[in-house]
Structure formats: C-alpha cells, structure tokens
Amino acid sequence: MRRLAISGLLAACLSSCTSAPPSTPGEGVAEGPLPPATSATSCPGEKLAFTRDTGCRSDGSVEFCLPTGDEALLARVRDIAPTVQAASGRGRAGCDAPAETLYLFPTGDAECTERHGALQDAAWDKVCRIAALPEVRAIVPTWYE
C-alpha cells in the first residue's frame, strides 16, 4: 500500500511540473523566456540602490546599463517594461560608453503611489524583473544636476 501511495504521489508531481528548472546565475542569454514575475523575497535587492518604498525618490526615473547593440536583450527588457527609454551619457548608473548604453525606467504618476513615494506593485515587479537579468549590474535613481 505504501509503495502505491508514493508512486502515485511521484506521478502526480511529475505530471504537474511543466516548467524547466531555473537557470543558474550567469547563464543568461539574450534569447529565451523573460524572468518570472517576482515577489519581495525574490527581487534581487543587491542590484537596487533603493527599496520599493523609496523607488520614486528620484528626478522621474531609475536607470541601468545594457550592452550596446544587443537588440535581443533590449527587446526582452522592452517586453518587461515598454516605457524604458535610451539616454545619453554614463548616468548615475555609470555605464561604460560606448560598450554600454544608459536606459531609464520612468517613475511618474503611473508607477508611483505619490510623488517621491513608493513604487506601485506592477512597477516594482518590472524593476525586479529587469534587475533579475544577468546583464544588468545595478539599477539606481536618476538625479539631474
């Protein structure tokens, strides 16, 4: 009886497991599935210079660098966050021009609970999914001088 119960459990588990195993850090390729939606516990906070509660304390965006010319990676980022825009210069993110391009994720009314407040859940999820990409070293608030 016990053997039947265990093999039934194993069969049920195997039939319900439909996703591929997660990749290890550094295995990221420009093509493939997008990073999964994240939770507060799975957001790569070590890459963020802010928290969800302080995500809108900036001059209207947060920024990060991507390798210049990697159109497949840029398409993956835009699948996550269509409002991401390229900018010039190194930015606060310290992009290594010309090898990297600076990108801005807006933190306006649609993304924030209030001016200089917290990021809305959907915006936080997008930031976390971008941060989960192995090519993204850091995401920092934008401050113009």
Side-chain angles (χ1 to χ4, degrees), residues 42-106:
S42 65
C43 189
E46 72 279 0
K47 290 186 175 184
L48 304 176
F50 53 89
T51 65
R52 181 182 174 277
D53 289 339
T54 62
C56 295
R57 291 185 191 160
S58 68
D59 281 343
S61 62
V62 294
E63 59 189 61
F64 56 95
C65 308
L66 292 177
T68 299
D70 191 336
E71 296 304 319
L73 175 60
L74 180 56
R76 290 178 70 203
V77 169
R78 290 215 167 114
D79 282 344
I80 295 168
T83 58
V84 165
Q85 294 295 316
S88 61
R90 294 175 32 93
R92 297 274 179 185
C95 298
D96 181 21
E100 295 180 315
T101 301
L102 178 65
Y103 286 90
L104 307 176
F105 174 87

Side-chain angles (χ1 to χ4, degrees), residues 43-44 48 50 62 80 105 107 119 122-132 139:
C43 189
L48 304 176
F50 53 89
V62 294
I80 295 168
F105 174 87
T107 54
L119 284 165
W124 177 247
D125 180 66
K126 290 174 186 178
V127 167
C128 290
R129 290 174 64 198
I130 292 169
I139 303 179

